[in-house]
Amino acid sequence: MSNAKKLFIKTYGCQMNVYDSERMAEALGTSGYTQTDMAEDADMILLNTCHIREKAAEKIYSELGRMKALKEDKPDLKLGVAGCVAQAEGAEIIRRQPAVDLVVGPQSYHRLPELEARTRTGVRALDTDFPEEDKFEHLSARPKAKRGPTAFLTVQEGCDKFCAFCVVPYTRGTEVSRPVDRIFSEARDLVERGVREITLLGQNVNAYHGAGVDGDRTLAQLIRELAGIDGLERIRFTTSHPNDMSDDLIAAHGDCDKLMPYLHLPVQSGSNRILKAMNRKHTAESYLKLIDKIRAARPDILLSGDFIVGFPGETEADFADTLALIEAVNYGQAYSFKYSSRPGTPAAERAEVEEQVKSDRLARLQALLSRQQKQAQNDMIGRTVRVLFEKPGRLPDQMIGKSEYLHAVHTTGKDLRPGDLRQVKIVKSEANSLQGALIQKPQ
Ligand code: 5AD
Ligand code: SF4
């Protein structure tokens, strides 16, 4: 029987939040918490929220309403809100939902043990400041528990770009890069714990400019240095802005074997008029030129993007430019959204495109993108890829992993284990994955 208190974290949104939830669990580990998958068992529930989607705050308030019921049976249960909704709403959450004990913004997770202790004295705690210190520094004392083969590692946070539709510069603050030595010790630690693939995370990751021993490092330099870690087999990074896609990073895609041939490079729109209104500071032409350069360095790279349809002022001609850009690029993977206004952003002041028009454009855009995605999958049939296996599938002896191109691949093999990197021949393309056959190792 253990007396450990139980922590349930519900994570919304991006990989940054998945990473932050792991760090929060580690921080609260020092206060005696172990994680549980069941909200009903928990002594503390944390909602790690995301503010990028529509009605995010309202959804969190209704979730809190449901969680409040659990408190009726368990008065000592602590209820906390973290993440970008916590940052954006702050004290409003405390005011609107009396059941909430704790509100903590993304820059203050290292203070969780202290905030949690405060809630134990019956005080409701709020911390949504942007401190000068590196929050991750305080979150590094953790036990050497085994990990799965893939992990995220945050190298930079925040964004100075101020796209007219986006809340990130307000909720995550301006751009801050972590120093190289911290990233290195975290990466080495992950590898010692069984990780073979690391995805470097940042809202604007290719703007990375962290301090090294003899001056700042670019993302490309950081990747090349991390590639020297024995046992680390694969490196990825996300999310990038076209204007920070420097020549050295493009070159790394051509000559750094451990950097995987996949790039998420959001363009948002193919219309120069709309790109200007979005404050993106690039044009459709400059983006296409960039794509040519990237493909020259790494011809087989799989490209992914983000698109917004129905941004204020978008005409049918603007939308046609977006479709034309998609045709020109040929994406292997993509995320697309209807524009929805975020209070406090410049675009929120502008007249909106009609809902029906937005829905219609999104459907047409997604039809094109999914044709391209399907084609990219079909093109893999007959090719041999290297798969990093992550977990068992539903069928006996089945394992699921990812190819270099981030395609999910499933295959069967009696001796396969999570963490194995094996050559696989792709035999079939399915809805969202590829089926492969193991190429037998030479005896
Ligand atoms: N409306 C619709 N989509 C948005 N995104 C960010 N803000 C908004 C918004 N207000 C999309 C962008 C971004 C992705 C993470 O979410 O495409 O790249
Ligand atoms: Fe938001 Fe990305 Fe634009 Fe930064 S670059 S403001 S995170 S959409």
Side-chain angles (χ1 to χ4, degrees), residues 52-53 165-166 266 268 306-308 337-340 342:
I52 218 147
R53 299 270 80 85
F165 50 82
C166 184
Q268 313 296 357
D306 287 347
F307 301 89
I308 295 178
F337 314 96
K338 280 194 263 187
Y339 169 76
S340 71
R342 297 288 170 281

Side-chain angles (χ1 to χ4, degrees), residues 224-270:
R224 289 183 201 281
E225 289 177 21
L226 287 170
I229 298 181
D230 266 355
L232 177 60
E233 302 291 339
R234 293 178 156 190
I235 302 172
R236 304 181 186 274
F237 60 90
T238 197
T239 290
S240 299
H241 190 286
N243 292 2
D244 292 313
M245 209 57 216
S246 62
D247 287 347
D248 66 342
L249 189 54
I250 295 173
H253 270 294
D255 60 31
C256 178
D257 291 346
K258 291 188 181 179
L259 183 58
M260 291 293 103
Y262 179 99
L263 179 66
H264 183 60
L265 196 62
V267 65
Q268 313 296 357
S269 168

Side-chain angles (χ1 to χ4, degrees), residues 3 16 26-27 100 128 169 227 261 267 283-285 287 315 341 350 353 381 383-384 400 402 440:
N3 292 326
M16 182 79 74
E26 282 167 4
V100 170
T128 51
V267 65
T283 61
E285 292 75 23
Y287 182 85
T315 63
S341 118
R350 305 178 196 163
V353 169
I381 298 173
R383 281 186 57 180
T384 298
I400 304 178
K402 297 271 166 55
Q440 291 312 318

